[in-house]
Amino acid sequence: MKHLFVLVFLFLAVALNASEKEKHPHIIFIITDQQRADALGCMGNAAVISPNIDKLSDLGVTFVNAYSSVPSCTPARAGLLTGLSPWHHGMLGYGRVARKYKYEMPRMLREAGYYTFGIGKMHWFPQKALHGFHGTLVDESGRVEQDGFVSDYRDWFKLQAPGKDPDKTGIGWNEHSAGVYQLDEKLHPTYWTGQTAVEIIENYKKDKPLFLKVSFARPHSPYDPPQRFLDLYEDVQIPVPYLGDWDEQYEGLEGGKEAAFGDFGIDHAIESRRHYYASITFIDEMVGKIIQTLKEKGIYENTLICFTSDHGDMLGDHYHWRKTYAYEGSSNIPFIVKWPESLEGKLAPGSRLEQVTELRDFLPTFLDAAGADISEDMDGLSILELIKDPQTAWRDYIDLEHATTYSEENYWCALTDGTWKYIWFFRTGKEQLFNLKTDPGEQNDMSSTNLEVTETWRQKMVDHLSERGDGFVKGGKLVQRSETLLYSPNYPNDERTPNELINDWRIEYKGVIEN
């Protein structure tokens, strides 16, 4: 009888374990703001201290050719939300995320049986829009884009530090200078975002899988780490900005503290980068706390964890600052996926794949993990297919673009397969071609020296833009444009008046943006 009891117990234990594995995994989606792909130790940058994110890379897969198709905050987040390409979700540059889309990540996961919650920066409009989340606690970096809005972080700050100034450091959202956070580090938005995520995981008791989006507002400027993290970089050799054979027009260019283009000297760029890296180390520490909480909760093994960013930061490369550019510092992003134990595949942990991925791929990946259908007209692809079989068919290249920002010339579309990058500037008709394998800093423009490859990619661009009509391609040739198109015809109708839409375009065109 004793042996029979043991056998029954073992059978039940195996059955319960199998049942647990059959459950759809929890999904923890961690996204930073304005973090370039090479700003991680696991991406080969020995200067960056990021042990917890590096560990995710060691246990999962890192996509080294990952991109943000429209590399500024709101259009990047529209692609992330919808799983669509820029032309199909409708935002071709920095504008306003629509109130409702055909596909929306939180709503679709909620419909698939998940409890959905978002923390941190959403950058949606209205600013407390849910798009299907059961709830959000937001940090909008002090932005007030509707009457009466106060972010959850700002209200929490008032509770913790009545009368104190959350912006005491005195550096604006888009400044490229740096400074040390002037308050207790536990008042910093990075701490608030990470700690709030920890508390939700600790308190989670629902009998359904959790989808948790954790959206840090850093390392986007202000570059303002607490002193403790900056001290770690005191003796670190910081990489200097890339300069090339095509950027001399910007050399010696002066500008203000929010300049998009400017030559402020190597020392200035290094200090900005030092503070930027320290901000990432702060985020990394909070990521570690989130992972430890998942383990203590007993759900780590059955959790899909993804880490990415909405776009990068040029940090002085080619005398460019901030984002909205086709270049790697602006458009190449981190893309790390640690899969749950229940997912069986051929990919070994710690793998690095070169297939080109983009923010649009996260929604179909999450739907795949949830056992939900992925619509055929969704542009994104499920990463889980590559984990199951890294030889599975994949896209040949990805499209990038941005409507006019900062200067009239900065209106472009690009294509890349992770080896070649071809850039077409709509207004000037200028082309650039870079070999990213031999020239990762895009220092040598090959468009006039490798004519055969340039022509091949020019034809790919013709094919890509043809669906947009004669304003982009005519007679099989690329068309120079005199006007910017910020919203494609696929942008969902919302409640804005024509004058409001025009005003949004004017803000973008002049480059007077706070993203």
Side-chain angles (χ1 to χ4, degrees), residues 43-107:
M43 288 297 288
N45 190 339
V48 181
I49 304 167
S50 52
N52 295 296
I53 299 169
D54 294 350
K55 186 67 173 177
L56 282 179
S57 175
D58 291 340
L59 297 173
V61 56
T62 301
F63 291 90
V64 297
N65 297 316
Y67 289 90
S68 172
S69 271
V70 192
S72 65
C73 292
T74 53
R77 291 164 192 271
L80 178 66
L81 177 66
T82 63
L84 298 174
S85 69
W87 186 254
H88 293 152
H89 65 63
M91 292 186 69
L92 310 181
Y94 183 82
R96 185 175 283 175
V97 174
R99 295 170 184 262
K100 186 173 178 60
Y101 292 91
K102 179 180 180 181
Y103 303 127
E104 296 178 324
M105 182 183 291
R107 172 173 54 82

Side-chain angles (χ1 to χ4, degrees), residues 191-210:
Y191 182 87
W192 175 84
T193 301
Q195 183 59 30
T196 303
V198 164
E199 291 174 9
I200 288 177
I201 296 168
E202 287 176 336
N203 295 328
Y204 193 70
K205 295 181 175 65
K206 296 186 72 65
D207 187 24
K208 60 173 59 180
L210 170 67

Side-chain angles (χ1 to χ4, degrees), residues 356-480:
V356 280
T357 53
E358 203 270 333
L359 290 171
R360 71 189 74 169
D361 295 327
F362 282 109
L363 175 52
T365 297
F366 298 159
L367 292 175
D368 193 357
D373 293 334
I374 303 171
S375 298
E376 291 185 2
D377 62 345
M378 190 173 287
D379 298 308
L381 302 171
S382 172
I383 297 302
L384 301 190
E385 295 303 312
L386 290 174
I387 294 172
K388 295 171 187 174
D389 181 4
Q391 301 304 317
T392 194
W394 200 253
R395 64 173 67 91
D396 293 327
Y397 54 83
I398 200 71
D399 54 295
L400 316 171
E401 68 182 283
H402 208 286
T404 306
T405 314
Y406 306 143
S407 73
E408 289 190 0
E409 292 77 19
N410 188 38
Y411 178 25
W412 54 270
C413 192
L415 302 174
T416 182
D417 61 359
T419 296
W420 293 101
K421 182 187 289 181
Y422 170 80
I423 309 171
W424 162 253
F425 290 88
F426 286 116
R427 196 174 299 277
T428 64
K430 177 182 175 182
E431 297 171 300
Q432 287 184 318
L433 179 72
F434 299 103
N435 186 320
L436 301 177
K437 297 300 184 186
T438 61
D439 180 24
E442 299 163 308
Q443 296 174 286
N444 304 303
D445 177 10
M446 304 176 68
S447 60
S448 60
T449 59
N450 198 330
L451 299 179
E452 182 178 353
V453 175
T454 300
E455 172 57 32
T456 297
W457 281 93
R458 184 186 301 128
Q459 184 57 51
K460 292 179 189 292
M461 183 64 77
V462 168
D463 296 341
H464 169 64
L465 293 175
S466 289
E467 71 170 305
R468 305 188 183 190
D470 289 350
F472 290 85
V473 174
K474 191 171 185 178
K477 303 290 184 182
L478 296 172
V479 173
Q480 285 185 237

Side-chain angles (χ1 to χ4, degrees), residues 112-276:
Y114 277 71
Y115 182 77
T116 59
F117 204 90
I119 302 167
K121 182 178 177 181
M122 301 296 143
H123 215 158
W124 293 337
F125 186 87
Q127 289 179 272
K128 282 288 285 184
L130 293 175
H131 292 288
F133 274 125
H134 284 91
T136 60
L137 292 169
V138 304
D139 168 29
E140 295 295 284
S141 304
R143 295 176 183 84
V144 177
E145 297 178 354
Q146 62 189 104
D147 290 344
F149 173 77
V150 180
S151 76
D152 298 296
Y153 163 70
R154 296 273 165 154
D155 273 340
W156 171 87
F157 184 96
K158 293 172 188 175
L159 178 67
Q160 301 298 319
K164 291 189 177 181
D165 179 8
D167 303 313
K168 186 178 179 181
T169 306
I171 303 172
W173 298 327
N174 287 316
E175 293 184 26
H176 44 77
S177 58
V180 175
Y181 190 62
Q182 296 297 301
L183 300 168
D184 187 314
E185 70 177 56
K186 290 188 176 181
L187 294 174
H188 195 284
T190 293
Y191 182 87
W192 175 84
T193 301
Q195 183 59 30
T196 303
V198 164
E199 291 174 9
I200 288 177
I201 296 168
E202 287 176 336
N203 295 328
Y204 193 70
K205 295 181 175 65
K206 296 186 72 65
D207 187 24
K208 60 173 59 180
L210 170 67
F211 170 66
L212 179 62
K213 178 182 177 182
V214 187
S215 182
F216 291 96
R218 302 294 192 273
H220 189 298
S221 47
Y223 312 137
D224 64 345
Q227 186 67 51
R228 175 168 69 92
F229 295 96
L230 191 61
D231 288 344
L232 299 174
Y233 288 85
E234 184 176 0
D235 299 318
V236 173
Q237 189 73 27
I238 305 297
V240 300
Y242 289 113
L243 299 177
D245 61 8
W246 55 269
D247 55 26
E248 61 182 15
Q249 70 187 89
Y250 304 103
E251 185 176 356
L253 186 68
E254 297 180 357
K257 58 187 179 181
E258 294 187 6
F261 312 96
D263 180 357
F264 304 102
I266 296 297
D267 290 343
H268 177 87
I270 287 175
E271 279 310 295
S272 293
R273 289 169 179 233
R274 192 183 309 276
H275 288 70
Y276 179 86

